[in-house]
Amino acid sequence: MAVPRGCLGLPLVAVLLASLCRGQAAVRELKVGYYAETCPEAEDIVRETMARARAREARSVASVMRLQFHDCFVNGCDGSVLMDATPTMPGEKDALSNINSLRSFEVVDEIKDALEERCPGVVSCADIVIMAARDAVVLTGGPNWEVRLGREDSMTASQEDADNIMPSPRANASALIRLFAGLNLSVTDLVALSGSHSIGEARCFSIVFRLYNQSGSGRPDPHMDTAYRRSLDALCPKGGDEEVTGGLDATPRVFDNQYFEDLVALRGFLNSDQTLFSDNTRTRRVVERLSKDQDAFFRAFIEGMIKMGELQNPRKGEIRRNCRVANNSPWQPRTGMASGQSTSELR
């Protein structure tokens, strides 16, 4: 995405601010209790559906929480990451950082179906992601907080913007600091929000380079506990199945500060996690503090999630009936088709 004239002083990654310089409509005012009159049961429906999803597959709620990051970082929290590609629109799901990685979209579909049955045309997919991410934390033992709602859904997605913005699992701390700073998020926000990896799993695909060829050296990452590396070697052998998954920390079903304790012990799963302790003094200080104080982690995480949720796409949006496709798209589901079916399968 080209940065518009008059915005050349902005960081390239600050696509949201660049959009504002195009003279688009002002961002919407978000508030707690936004659906109190139009859909008073909305937040209960989201949490109940997330709880059912967790009962079916414990990993699913962590996967849904991850969607907020991948949505909000690319042109704001507008539900664009949920959209399927069409013949005329490459989707963000197919971006390098997302393809074969982001998952549990069917959980969002299930939430949307329940809300459309109760309050048709009222609750945006973008707000569903925000509520569901909060509930993923609560349902796994983490803190609760009030979410500000009132977002609209975008009518398009951008694979190009996602490719240009989202970091890879190989990203180092300095690159992550620059990315977050471009979105007005601090070093503390970066480290605390990385604590979302307190729950969930990741694929061997994301770490084989750390185990066997870190930085092209032909050797493993030196910032890795020896016993932990042996366990990962067994999980992800060279030439093995890279779709196998491992826990992002030692307690991948519980939202706690174990993630930070693991980083201090050189037991971080992803390079982009371990780098926060091993490669940068600014992030290391925050990691050390949060590893010793779970309450401090919870407070910083809530603050970061709220700030990230304020990132908005100022372009005029809509309330999508199906989170996978814009309302006016010719690529609509056939009558009777479940919303969970990809529009790439539609005719």
Side-chain angles (χ1 to χ4, degrees):
M1 172 179 285
V3 178
R5 293 181 64 183
C7 297
L8 296 179
L10 295 173
L12 181 60
V13 296
V15 178
L16 306 176
L17 298 180
S19 296
L20 281 169
C21 291
R22 293 191 184 96
Q24 301 289 341
V27 295
R28 294 170 63 85
E29 181 181 357
L30 307 178
K31 65 179 183 179
V32 172
Y34 182 82
Y35 297 110
E37 296 183 3
T38 56
C39 192
E41 297 176 73
E43 295 194 44
D44 290 337
I45 290 171
V46 174
R47 184 162 298 184
E48 290 165 4
T49 308
M50 287 286 285
R52 289 195 297 272
R54 180 171 177 260
R56 292 192 301 266
E57 184 202 16
R59 181 187 174 195
S60 64
V61 294
S63 300
V64 173
M65 178 174 63
R66 187 180 173 208
L67 295 177
Q68 178 173 341
F69 292 78
H70 288 250
D71 187 35
C72 293
F73 272 37
V74 181
N75 298 322
C77 310
D78 60 2
S80 58
V81 75
L82 305 174
M83 301 183 78
D84 287 338
T86 71
T88 58
M89 184 194 74
E92 293 169 25
K93 292 178 181 178
D94 296 328
L96 293 175
S97 62
N98 298 343
I99 192 168
N100 298 323
S101 180
L102 292 186
R103 61 193 299 277
S104 295
F105 293 102
E106 71 281 356
V107 177
V108 178
D109 295 332
E110 185 180 350
I111 295 170
K112 182 62 172 174
D113 288 345
L115 288 168
E116 285 297 299
E117 182 176 350
R118 190 68 55 85
C119 316
V122 173
V123 182
S124 69
C125 300
D127 277 347
I128 289 173
V129 171
I130 298 295
M131 289 184 278
R134 183 267 311 275
D135 293 342
V137 174
V138 175
L139 291 168
T140 52
N144 194 9
W145 67 95
E146 292 185 316
V147 288
R148 287 160 51 81
L149 304 171
R151 298 163 188 81
E152 289 185 334
D153 298 320
S154 67
M155 293 181 277
T156 187
S158 176
Q159 179 182 333
E160 180 183 4
D161 288 347
D163 280 333
N164 288 337
I165 293 171
M166 294 307 299
S168 81
R170 304 188 183 203
N172 62 34
S174 297
L176 293 171
I177 289 172
R178 289 194 296 271
L179 169 63
F180 275 65
L183 297 170
N184 293 323
L185 296 169
S186 69
V187 170
T188 297
D189 294 328
L190 160 61
V191 176
L193 290 173
S194 296
S196 65
H197 288 171
S198 170
I199 55 174
E201 301 174 7
R203 298 178 297 159
C204 288
F205 171 82
S206 300
I207 65 165
V208 288
F209 72 96
R210 290 191 70 204
L211 298 176
Y212 307 110
N213 191 28
Q214 177 77 330
S215 302
S217 66
R219 299 175 61 83
D221 183 355
H223 302 303
M224 193 182 301
D225 173 74
T226 302
Y228 183 60
R229 190 184 73 236
R230 285 197 296 266
S231 71
L232 292 183
D233 287 344
L235 179 72
C236 307
K238 192 172 184 178
D241 183 357
E242 295 187 354
E243 296 304 308
V244 170
T245 61
L248 288 167
D249 75 355
T251 57
R253 300 288 182 265
V254 180
F255 193 91
D256 55 19
N257 70 333
Q258 181 66 49
Y259 165 84
F260 298 104
E261 294 181 18
D262 287 350
L263 297 188
V264 172
L266 303 184
R267 298 172 68 87
F269 192 84
L270 298 176
N271 188 80
S272 55
D273 289 333
Q274 190 59 57
T275 185
L276 299 175
F277 178 78
S278 300
D279 299 328
N280 187 281
T281 56
R282 296 171 66 194
T283 54
R284 182 185 302 125
R285 285 193 293 268
V286 183
V287 169
E288 289 176 333
R289 177 168 61 87
L290 301 186
S291 73
K292 300 172 183 176
D293 189 340
Q294 181 165 279
D295 288 340
F297 164 47
F298 286 177
R299 290 192 298 270
F301 184 80
I302 291 171
E303 181 177 347
M305 289 292 277
I306 292 172
K307 288 171 67 175
M308 180 170 60
E310 297 292 314
L311 300 174
Q312 289 194 58
N313 186 338
R315 297 172 183 164
K316 176 63 178 173
E318 63 182 4
I319 307 300
R320 279 188 230 131
R321 294 184 296 270
N322 182 319
C323 290
R324 294 174 180 261
V325 60
N327 291 340
N328 63 352
S329 171
W331 301 91
Q332 295 293 329
R334 294 193 298 270
T335 301
M337 179 174 291
S339 65
Q341 184 169 354
S342 169
T343 52
S344 64
E345 304 171 38
L346 307 182
R347 298 294 184 266

